[in-house]
Amino acid sequence: MDVRQMRNEALGKRVVKALESRNMEAYYVRTKEAAVKKALELIPEGSTINMGGSASVREAGLIDAINEGNYVFYDRDKAATPEEKQEIALKAFTCDWFLGSVNAMSEDGVFVNIDGNANRVAAYAFGPKNVLLIVGMNKIVKTEEDAMHRARNEAAPINTQRFGIDTPCVKNGSCFDCKSPDCICCQIMVTRFSRIPKRFKIILVDANLGF
């Protein structure tokens, strides 16, 4: 184990304890492959599954594993029309599992997510029986204030760039608190506790995942 792995493991184990204190279930793993293995241990075969546009989940390889397994996966990317895409998004509220990540997480287990259409933060807040988040250690920051700063000034500009959206942060690389018609910072959600015990299952990974 190199010194970076040592640091991330020490921090990761501390963040796991912080998440557990917030009524969540949490794990720390060293590799993307281990993250997928743990996720499949948690998700029973036959489960209904939905997700937003999480790059972390795809980069870890979990979507490929789910598509190869015995699950009912509502994949919005396979929708033929906007109406079908909306219908798939609405299924999130009654599914067994919703998959995603965070835009940033503080060392004491508070996480921040920013959404344009709000389908992702809405599902995190209410509906699906379980929410499974795969979080690379690149998204762990010191404080809740730092998490908000990362979400708005790093994650949001990168996401707008990958979606080809016309906002000030695309042109300038950080948040300008805009009111652009294409703004994706429409809903900002801070999650600090789960009233339903262990509804959130969070897998921290010693890898750079997502944005």
Side-chain angles (χ1 to χ4, degrees), residues 152-153 156-157 160 165-172 174-188:
R152 299 195 71 172
N153 291 287
T160 52
I165 295 172
D166 183 19
T167 60
C169 67
V170 167
K171 302 179 181 71
N172 297 285
S174 64
C175 182
F176 278 71
D177 199 25
C178 77
K179 298 175 184 176
S180 165
D182 287 334
C183 177
I184 69 165
C185 299
C186 301
Q187 310 288 335
I188 302 176

Side-chain angles (χ1 to χ4, degrees), residues 36-179:
V36 171
K37 181 180 179 182
K38 174 55 68 176
L40 296 180
E41 289 173 0
L42 295 170
I43 304 172
E45 288 192 353
S47 296
T48 54
I49 301 172
N50 204 312
M51 66 175 286
S54 173
S56 296
V57 173
R58 295 190 182 280
E59 290 174 9
L62 181 54
I63 297 306
D64 292 337
I66 285 172
N67 282 325
E68 293 169 2
N70 181 26
Y71 307 95
V72 180
F73 178 40
Y74 301 118
D75 188 351
R76 70 178 190 177
D77 291 340
K78 294 181 179 178
T81 65
E83 291 77 17
E84 184 181 0
K85 189 173 183 178
Q86 175 72 358
E87 183 180 343
I88 290 172
L90 290 171
K91 288 181 183 292
F93 295 103
T94 56
C95 69
D96 298 318
W97 292 80
F98 190 87
L99 310 180
S101 187
V102 303
N103 293 133
M105 179 182 291
S106 65
E107 291 182 6
D108 63 351
V110 175
F111 46 95
V112 176
N113 285 285
I114 291 177
D115 244 352
N117 295 323
N119 60 298
R120 178 176 62 122
V121 297
Y124 286 9
F126 179 80
K129 297 181 183 70
N130 301 278
V131 178
L132 188 147
L133 307 179
I134 293 183
V135 180
M137 289 299 291
N138 55 305
K139 295 186 177 181
I140 305 301
V141 296
K142 189 67 179 177
T143 67
E144 181 180 334
E145 182 180 1
D146 294 331
M148 184 66 71
H149 186 274
R150 184 189 193 281
R152 299 195 71 172
N153 291 287
E154 184 172 345
I158 293 173
N159 277 314
T160 52
Q161 287 167 341
R162 76 175 171 126
F163 294 141
I165 295 172
D166 183 19
T167 60
C169 67
V170 167
K171 302 179 181 71
N172 297 285
S174 64
C175 182
F176 278 71
D177 199 25
C178 77
K179 298 175 184 176

